Each structure stands twice: as structure tokens, then as C-alpha cells.
Amino acid sequence: GNSVTQMEGPVTLSEEAFLTINCTYTATGYPSLFWYVQYPGEGLQLLLKATKADDKGSNKGFEATYRKETTSFHLEKGSVQVSDSAVYFCALNSGGSNYKLTFGKGTLLTVNP
Amino acid sequence: NAGVTQTPKFQVLKTGQSMTLQCAQDMNHNSMYWYRQDPGMGLRLIYYSASEGTTDKGEVPNGYNVSRLNKREFSLRLESAAPSQTSVYFCASRMTGGDQPQHFGDGTRLSIL
């Protein structure tokens, strides 16, 4: 079946540091890939997405490139801020028109001033 | 602009009690979903409704029932609560078509004693 594996956290960085959160997946066919972010006490929000190989999703300074050859979708940001502290989830679309998402376990990021 | 609204936000139950979690969306979305979030487990799909009048089981449906009351509302019922159902529950909705993202509510934090 489909699965998503994220690097385990927590990840702690200083402000303005470079961020990478690794995500790899297993899926049949050609899934769409997503990063969601969850701020404390809130629900998940879509951060970015990519729908086909070599697509790059970007939003709020975050980027991720859909790499079919390595089945990866790593999240990067060049300079993190304290406000980026949150849990980040990698996910893939695992079901046709019903659009069921398969999530990774999440990575907690803490950015210190 | 309410989006996806979940009630209640917090609830404590005793083992064996019943409870209905409510979810409503005002975005005219066709599909709705119920997830549970447990530490280290990511989000797991309980039930979903691809459109009004239809419901289907997700990854972890045992112990739950759902009702798609109308296009706006999708409720989750625990008939006889068990401590293993202590979790944070999220409702989500999306528009049908393409790769429209899922929109999440802020969650219901449920404790079963």
C-alpha cells in the first residue's frame, strides 16, 4: 500500500538557519504530494503541493521538489523564523476521485531566537 | 469566513458513554473526512464521505459511526467510548476535482477515562 516516511524530530534550529525535512514515499501510480503545517492548537493547513514529477511547490519561503527517481519530496527553507515553529506533515494522494490522503507521522520544528 | 467548524473543542467522557462530534463546512465542498491524530502516528482516516448521501470506511473505522446529514454537515459518533479512543479528532473537507486541497477544522480534543 501507500506510505509516507518523514525524518523523525524534533528538529531545533536557530533563527535564520537552513531547514531540511526529509520525506520519502511509496505509492502506486503517480501520486500528488503535499506538505501541511500545524501550528499549536490549530488544524492542518496546506503549505505547498506538487502534482507531477519535477514540479516544485513553494509558499512562504518553503520549497519542495517532486523527485520521482528517488521517491522523495523534501521540504526546505533558506532562513527559518521563530514563527515557523510548528509540526510539518508530508502527505500523498492515495485514492482517485475520493482523494484520501496518506500522512507521514509529522516533524516538530522549534526555532529559537 | 468560518471554513470548517468543529464542536465541541474539548470533551471528557467516561468509558462506555456515547458522544457525537459535530463538523460543518460553509465552503460548499462535496467531500468530507474524519481523522484522528495520536502522538507519533500522524493522522489516520476514520471515515470519509465523497458526496452527500455516501460514506465509506477509512483506515481505522472500528468503534465509530458517521452521518452525512446534508452537504454541510458530517458527524462522528462514538457509541460506547473506550480509553483507546482518547485522541484529537479532525474534520476536513474539499472540493471535488483535480487536486484541490483538504481544509481542516481546529480539532476536538477527546479524553476517555
Side-chain angles (χ1 to χ4, degrees), chain A residues 19 24 27-28 43-44 50 52 56 58 65 75-76 83 96 104 110-111:
Chain A
L19 168 70
T24 57
T28 55
L44 279 70
K52 61 183 187 295
K56 177 184 284 188
S58 61
T65 300
L75 183 68
E76 296 181 337
S83 58
T110 301
V111 181

Side-chain angles (χ1 to χ4, degrees), chain B residues 5-26:
Chain B
T5 302
Q6 293 184 234
T7 54
K9 294 189 183 303
F10 303 92
Q11 185 69 47
V12 178
L13 294 177
K14 294 180 179 179
T15 299
Q17 288 185 314
S18 61
M19 168 85 189
T20 298
L21 280 59
Q22 307 288 350
C23 175
Q25 51 91 9
D26 62 1

Side-chain angles (χ1 to χ4, degrees), chain B residues 88-104:
Chain B
V88 182
Y89 291 85
F90 287 99
C91 178
S93 69
R94 74 176 284 267
M95 182 66 74
T96 301
D99 286 305
Q100 295 294 317
Q102 292 189 13
H103 298 259
F104 286 80

Side-chain angles (χ1 to χ4, degrees), chain B residues 24-83:
Chain B
Q25 51 91 9
D26 62 1
M27 296 173 283
N28 201 35
H29 287 170
N30 293 317
S31 302
M32 298 185 74
Y33 307 80
W34 276 105
Y35 295 89
R36 59 178 290 172
Q37 182 179 29
D38 302 292
M41 299 292 291
L43 273 77
R44 293 181 292 170
L45 183 64
I46 304 171
Y47 271 92
Y48 67 99
S49 171
S51 61
E52 186 179 354
T54 69
T55 60
D56 286 285
K57 295 178 180 180
E59 182 184 355
V60 288
N62 291 344
Y64 305 96
N65 286 300
V66 291
S67 295
R68 183 74 183 267
L69 304 171
N70 48 54
K71 192 171 186 179
R72 290 187 64 248
E73 298 172 288
F74 187 40
S75 62
L76 178 72
R77 183 162 178 84
L78 288 69
E79 290 291 352
S80 179

